[in-house]
Amino acid sequence: MDMTDRKALINKKRIVVKVGSSSLTYKDTGHINLTKMEKLIRQLADMKHSGLDVILVSSGAQAAGISVLNLDSKPLEMDKKQAVASVGQASLMRMYQKFFREYNIIAGQVLITKDITMEEKSRNNVVNTFNALLDYGTIPIVNENDTVATDEIEFGDNDTLSAIVATLVKADLLILLSDIDGLHTMDPIRYEEAELIPKVMEINGDILKMATGSSTLVGTGGMVTKLQAAMIANEAHIDMVIANADRPYVLLDILAGEDVGTLFKAQ
């Protein structure tokens, strides 16, 4: 297998990492898994200490809110979902800041909505904020502003948002961490013969069918939104990798040029 494209990831300097709710929580309870969070933060800290610019797009506000409010499950009403996310976002940031401080890193919070690119002044303000945070040596932690927007709550898990952030900050690489190993030829939950696709050079109709062919988006980790993110990133000449957050040192392995997950190669 030609590993040239993988080895090129060694030279990436500005990385956006997106972590989904399923990669931060316990499956049975939905509460934040602090062990998973700490393992993620240790890798991000290593990346930062090596001289890389690192931006984290993190889901998990609702999960954290459920824990703080001692709820048995997610509420069904949109206003209550937003309220839970509001409480949870503050708790989530406290956890991130506590863990990052142990590695002498400061974390900053950025709450934005996906339509931020539609208005030039707002877009420029966000870009300037990101650049200032990186100049200060921090790791910006991004989430959608769930008290204003409902897109993430209803449709996505910050996949598209992370691609927009990568475009705004002119990232070299976008990494989507999830509970799946990458893009497969078919739904790996339903079909044992499903094979992992290590590299995608073009997101064409055949690739899109692999994502929509499942009986449920949940079964493929929301692959449709991940492909949407890949299209946004690749169009901006940004490579993207989908990988499993549970793999030990997954981020460091990707940046070492190892064959991990699925690489969507920008043309």
Side-chain angles (χ1 to χ4, degrees):
M1 181 184 295
D2 183 4
M3 292 292 290
T4 304
D5 290 330
R6 289 287 184 171
K7 295 303 180 185
L9 300 184
I10 296 173
N11 300 316
K12 302 298 186 181
K13 299 298 182 185
R14 179 165 286 191
I15 320 295
V16 173
V17 176
K18 178 261 174 180
V19 61
S21 299
S22 62
S23 302
L24 290 173
T25 58
Y26 287 102
K27 182 178 180 180
D28 293 335
T29 66
H31 292 290
I32 295 292
N33 185 322
L34 295 177
T35 301
K36 285 185 176 182
M37 178 179 279
E38 187 171 20
K39 288 179 179 178
L40 169 68
I41 289 170
R42 189 181 304 131
Q43 293 180 80
L44 295 170
D46 272 342
M47 292 163 59
K48 188 67 178 177
H49 289 314
S50 73
L52 300 179
D53 285 340
V54 180
I55 298 100
L56 175 64
V57 179
S58 176
S59 300
Q62 283 197 76
I66 289 171
S67 295
V68 173
L69 295 171
N70 293 316
L71 303 179
D72 294 328
S73 61
K74 289 183 180 180
L76 299 178
E77 301 87 347
M78 181 55 65
D79 57 344
K80 291 184 178 179
K81 287 181 180 180
Q82 291 175 300
V84 168
S86 174
V87 172
Q89 184 62 35
S91 177
L92 189 66
M93 276 305 302
R94 282 199 302 272
M95 286 185 275
Y96 273 124
Q97 289 180 322
K98 178 182 183 298
F99 280 128
F100 273 121
R101 276 200 300 269
E102 294 178 3
Y103 298 100
N104 296 317
I105 290 174
I106 297 171
Q109 177 178 252
V110 182
L111 295 177
I112 60 177
T113 55
K114 292 188 185 74
D115 60 2
I116 198 70
T117 59
M118 296 175 64
E119 206 278 311
E120 183 177 3
K121 183 177 180 180
S122 297
R123 181 174 64 249
N124 290 338
N125 287 340
V126 170
V127 170
N128 292 338
T129 299
F130 274 121
N131 288 332
L133 285 167
L134 293 171
D135 287 343
Y136 279 128
T138 74
I139 291 184
I141 300 178
V142 187
N143 197 354
E144 184 159 16
N145 189 350
D146 288 334
T147 58
V148 176
T150 60
D151 286 357
E152 182 201 354
I153 290 177
E154 290 183 334
F155 304 116
D157 199 26
N158 279 336
D159 293 323
T160 307
L161 181 69
S162 67
I164 293 171
V165 169
T167 302
L168 287 172
V169 301
K170 294 181 170 58
D172 301 313
L173 177 64
L174 170 62
I175 301 174
L176 302 188
L177 295 181
S178 188
D179 55 359
I180 54 174
D181 294 328
L183 177 66
H184 290 76
T185 53
M186 58 188 75
D187 184 355
I189 304 297
R190 299 174 60 193
Y191 303 101
E192 291 184 3
E193 63 269 28
E195 297 180 4
L196 178 68
I197 301 173
K199 182 167 66 175
V200 174
M201 298 300 293
E202 179 186 4
I203 303 174
N204 52 31
D206 291 336
I207 295 296
L208 291 173
K209 286 179 183 177
M210 294 176 189
T212 58
S214 170
S215 60
T216 168
L217 292 181
V218 176
T220 57
M223 186 56 70
V224 170
T225 58
K226 289 172 176 54
L227 291 185
Q228 290 172 342
M231 287 187 283
I232 294 171
N234 288 173
E235 187 175 340
H237 310 292
I238 301 168
D239 292 337
M240 190 186 96
V241 174
I242 300 174
N244 197 319
D246 288 337
R247 176 187 170 112
Y249 306 110
V250 59
L251 294 175
L252 303 182
D253 287 346
I254 291 171
L255 295 174
E258 296 189 20
D259 192 16
V260 178
T262 301
L263 168 63
F264 293 81
K265 181 65 182 172
Q267 299 302 306

